[in-house]
Amino acid sequence: MNTALLYPQLNHQQIYEEYSAKIYRYFRYRVKNVWDVEDLTTTVFIKVYSKLEQYDGRHPFGAWIFRIAHNALIDYMRKKRECPVDQETFSAMKATDDLPEECLMTQESTDVLWQKVHTLTADQRNVIQLRYLADLRMNEIAEILGKTEASVKILHFRGIKKLQQMMKAAQA
């Protein structure tokens, strides 16, 4: 079945324009080396374009792309065994636009918040990153992580609740 006939709106340029910044930001938070981030982003779009005819529309398109990005990141981390970005590098990035408003009062509180995010469970951390750095909906996050939407909502709720408690404790 020809995907181009089913989904004529899937234009390479439009796909890149809509998703490149989100995918770049998702990688940038997790990978120290900017060149590796750019390579990973490029790799994702090469895979997306080469597999575009396999997209069948059963899942949201954004979830499909981020599943490819998530798998690319896992492969990269296995090969490199790299630690996530240090706090100074992350603070300098312009990813703070998508974080919850209550945590944007100052750069210092943002730094503290992201230090606390690193203490969450891996699943909670992934949900928080995909929600606020990649600006994805819960159903898209569920598809990417291979979980139900209900479990993603629970992880999100518990992660946010834990972050709120830690932020209150840090202010006291």
Side-chain angles (χ1 to χ4, degrees):
M1 191 176 297
N2 188 343
T3 307
L5 295 175
L6 287 173
Y7 305 99
Q9 74 276 13
L10 299 179
N11 173 300
H12 288 200
Q13 182 178 354
Q14 291 170 331
I15 292 169
Y16 184 80
E17 287 173 0
E18 183 170 346
Y19 293 100
S20 63
K22 293 176 183 180
I23 289 172
Y24 181 90
R25 195 168 48 228
Y26 173 68
F27 288 141
R28 187 66 186 108
Y29 175 69
R30 304 292 302 270
V31 177
K32 287 181 184 177
N33 187 318
V34 176
W35 293 290
D36 287 346
V37 171
E38 291 171 359
D39 288 346
L40 280 167
T41 304
T42 301
T43 300
V44 166
F45 283 98
I46 290 170
K47 287 180 183 179
V48 166
Y49 297 151
S50 70
K51 296 177 184 233
L52 196 54
E53 65 186 35
Q54 296 174 12
Y55 175 67
D56 59 11
R58 290 184 298 153
H59 307 289
F61 190 72
W64 182 73
I65 288 179
F66 268 91
R67 186 65 179 174
I68 293 170
H70 183 71
N71 290 340
L73 180 64
I74 289 170
D75 292 344
Y76 171 83
M77 296 298 249
R78 282 182 187 147
K79 289 178 187 171
K80 294 284 187 173
R81 299 283 182 204
E82 183 175 321
C83 296
V85 173
D86 63 357
Q87 199 58 41
E88 289 178 10
T89 304
F90 178 74
S91 297
M93 293 171 14
K94 189 173 171 28
T96 57
D97 300 347
D98 298 326
L99 299 175
E101 286 183 6
E102 66 265 16
C103 296
L104 284 176
M105 291 184 215
T106 64
Q107 184 64 40
E108 183 177 296
S109 65
T110 302
D111 292 345
V112 171
L113 172 68
W114 284 104
Q115 288 172 357
K116 304 296 183 201
V117 168
H118 287 293
T119 67
L120 298 175
T121 67
D123 284 340
Q124 289 172 338
R125 190 171 49 248
N126 283 332
V127 169
I128 298 293
Q129 290 168 351
L130 289 168
R131 177 72 184 107
Y132 298 108
L133 293 177
D135 196 28
L136 297 178
R137 295 184 308 269
M138 294 297 180
N139 63 333
E140 294 171 320
I141 296 168
E143 179 66 29
I144 291 165
L145 298 178
K147 299 185 178 299
T148 65
E149 188 173 348
S151 67
V152 168
K153 286 180 180 179
I154 290 169
L155 287 166
H156 180 262
F157 175 79
R158 289 179 180 165
I160 293 295
K161 189 172 181 174
K162 188 172 180 181
L163 285 172
Q164 287 172 339
Q165 291 169 349
M166 288 188 285
M167 291 300 285
K168 280 184 182 178
Q171 291 174 352

